[in-house]
Amino acid sequence: MGFADNGIPRSRDHSARKAERTAVNAEVSLRRPSQNHYRVRAYNASPLGCKLEFVERPVPAERVWVKFDGLDALEGQVCWVNGFVVGVEFVRPMYAAVFDALVSRLR
């Protein structure tokens, strides 16, 4: 496992990634099944998923809902877990125009 320049763990196999991720530094709302939402940090995002810091460790394949400010919540599935940093793949990808507007707003 390597680390980005900012010390955040990155996944081992970038070749398996379906879309390039864009670095973001944002707080998002996260909800797990049968729990209230809480705020977590998003490190990067793509139309297909994102990397988040969880408060409590999830398990791979767990369903979650990620809500960026100004967007509806996106249902996702935990793909990998490294400590409290996790990769989430969205069940339905964001439209490219919606993603571009989100990234513009977060920069």
Side-chain angles (χ1 to χ4, degrees):
M1 166 100 23
F3 287 85
D5 292 337
N6 60 5
I8 302 303
R10 57 182 166 206
S11 62
R12 292 184 188 129
D13 185 9
H14 295 289
S15 64
R17 192 167 278 166
K18 297 175 186 174
E20 279 299 312
R21 297 280 173 103
T22 300
V24 297
N25 182 14
E27 278 197 3
V28 300
S29 292
L30 177 73
R31 187 173 66 79
R32 297 169 79 178
S34 303
Q35 294 185 9
N36 292 325
H37 73 275
Y38 52 93
R39 301 292 282 180
V40 298
R41 182 172 174 209
Y43 295 110
N44 67 33
S46 81
L48 304 176
C50 60
K51 184 193 302 186
L52 303 173
E53 181 175 47
F54 271 53
V55 174
E56 298 173 358
R57 284 181 72 157
V59 295
E62 182 177 334
R63 290 284 181 198
V64 296
W65 288 263
V66 179
K67 185 176 184 325
F68 289 89
D69 290 341
L71 297 180
D72 290 337
L74 300 164
E75 183 180 358
Q77 180 175 344
V78 174
C79 297
W80 56 264
V81 178
N82 181 11
F84 292 98
V85 178
V86 304
V88 173
E89 182 177 7
F90 301 136
V91 172
R92 292 186 195 137
M94 276 189 255
Y95 290 109
V98 172
F99 178 73
D100 291 343
L102 173 67
V103 169
S104 293
R105 195 173 66 240
L106 294 176
R107 287 193 172 163

